[in-house]
């Protein structure tokens, strides 16, 4: 494990593995960098992989007060560590951060996103208008498990009867440990609407990937691809939202090592 110091003095932890063009992995949801470790190991055959803990997660610091700009300063610090330019791969909510990073003009070579959870009108119930405020209140009451449950039902859209038994799963405690960062994600995403105007400013080649198993996610993938100036689509048919590293690694490696015409 290594660390870089972000602009506000926060230490951001990352693992570096492999050789080749640099790619930064950006995770989503209440997870730390361990969620992307299997993918990092597969990509390391072709790429230098920077698998980092977003602030407030894992071994990274969490300097208060939180602000959205800090997320992109953290990525910029890792890009600088990688030599001044890097590819980005974002999964789920991490895809939103990857797209926003490119839109902000960070030194991104290429960009790939997996099932970015923008919500298009009429494709599924919207996230409650007070979703972020509910998370803040639950954290103040120490109800981290309820924060995770709210995320999975209101944001992800899972039925409550599926989520409640998940509290007994082995990984639930690790989700609770970073539940406070769900407030950070809610600050970034707002109502999860598609920011078409900002996406139009993403000038780098972008690969938009989905598994064709969740209709509203498929609609979002199509809308993202249409909004981007230089996008291509890829489908890993039948892959769930928790995509298999073995399924997506070859697609990412081929895209990130593709010779530029």
């Amino acid at each position: 494990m290594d660390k870089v110091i972000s602009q506000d003095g926060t230490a951001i932890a990352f693992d570096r593995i492999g050789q080749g063009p640099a790619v930064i992995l950006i995770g989503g949801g209440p997870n730390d960098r361990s969620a992307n470790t299997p993918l990092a190991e597969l990509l390391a055959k072709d790429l230098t992989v920077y698998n980092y803990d977003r602030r407030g997660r894992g071994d990274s610091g969490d300097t208060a007060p939180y602000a959205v700009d800090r997320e992109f300063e953290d990525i910029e610090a890792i890009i600088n560590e990688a030599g001044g330019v890097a590819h980005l791969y974002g999964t789920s909510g991490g895809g939103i951060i990857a797209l926003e990073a490119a839109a902000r003009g960070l030194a991104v070579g290429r960009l790939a996103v997996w099932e970015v959870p923008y919500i298009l009108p009429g494709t599924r119930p919207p996230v409650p208008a007070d979703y972020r405020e509910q998370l803040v209140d639950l954290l103040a009451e120490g109800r981290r498990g309820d924060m995770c449950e709210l995320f999975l039902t209101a944001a992800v859209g899972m039925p409550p009867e599926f989520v409640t038994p998940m509290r007994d799963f082995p990984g639930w405690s690790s989700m609770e440990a970073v539940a406070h960062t769900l407030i950070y994600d809610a600050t970034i995403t707002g109502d999860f609407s598609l920011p078409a105007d900002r996406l139009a400013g993403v000038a780098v080649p972008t690969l938009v990937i989905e598994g064709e198993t969740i209709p509203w996610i498929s609609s979002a993938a199509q809308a993202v691809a249409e909004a981007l100036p230089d996008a291509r689509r890829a489908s890993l048919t039948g892959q769930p939202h928790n995509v298999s590293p073995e399924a997506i690694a070859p697609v990412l490696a081929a895209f990130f090592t593709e010779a530029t015409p």
Side-chain angles (χ1 to χ4, degrees), residues 3 8 23-24 26 30 40 43-44 93-94 117 123 129 137 142 144 153-154 164 188 197 202 220-221 223-224 237:
K3 290 185 178 181
D8 72 339
V23 60
I24 300 170
I26 307 174
L43 292 176
T123 60
D137 290 344
R144 287 175 170 265
T153 55
T164 300
I188 295 168
D197 289 345
V202 176
V224 168
T237 304

Side-chain angles (χ1 to χ4, degrees), residues 120-171:
L120 304 184
T123 60
R124 53 152 283 181
V127 173
D130 64 344
Y131 169 66
R132 183 184 181 280
E133 287 70 25
Q134 289 187 53
L135 290 171
V136 170
D137 290 344
L138 290 171
L139 181 63
E141 296 170 8
R143 296 164 58 189
R144 287 175 170 265
D146 290 340
M147 293 176 73
C148 295
E149 186 160 343
L150 178 65
F151 164 71
L152 292 170
T153 55
V156 177
M158 295 177 64
E161 61 269 24
F162 289 178
V163 175
T164 300
M166 292 175 63
R167 287 177 176 263
D168 296 324
F169 289 3

Side-chain angles (χ1 to χ4, degrees), residues 78-113:
I78 301 172
I79 289 175
N80 291 338
E81 178 74 13
V85 64
H87 304 311
L88 300 181
Y89 166 65
T91 178
S92 189
I96 291 178
I97 295 173
L99 288 163
E100 292 284 354
R104 286 173 174 239
L106 271 65
V108 177
R110 288 186 164 210
L111 171 64
V113 295

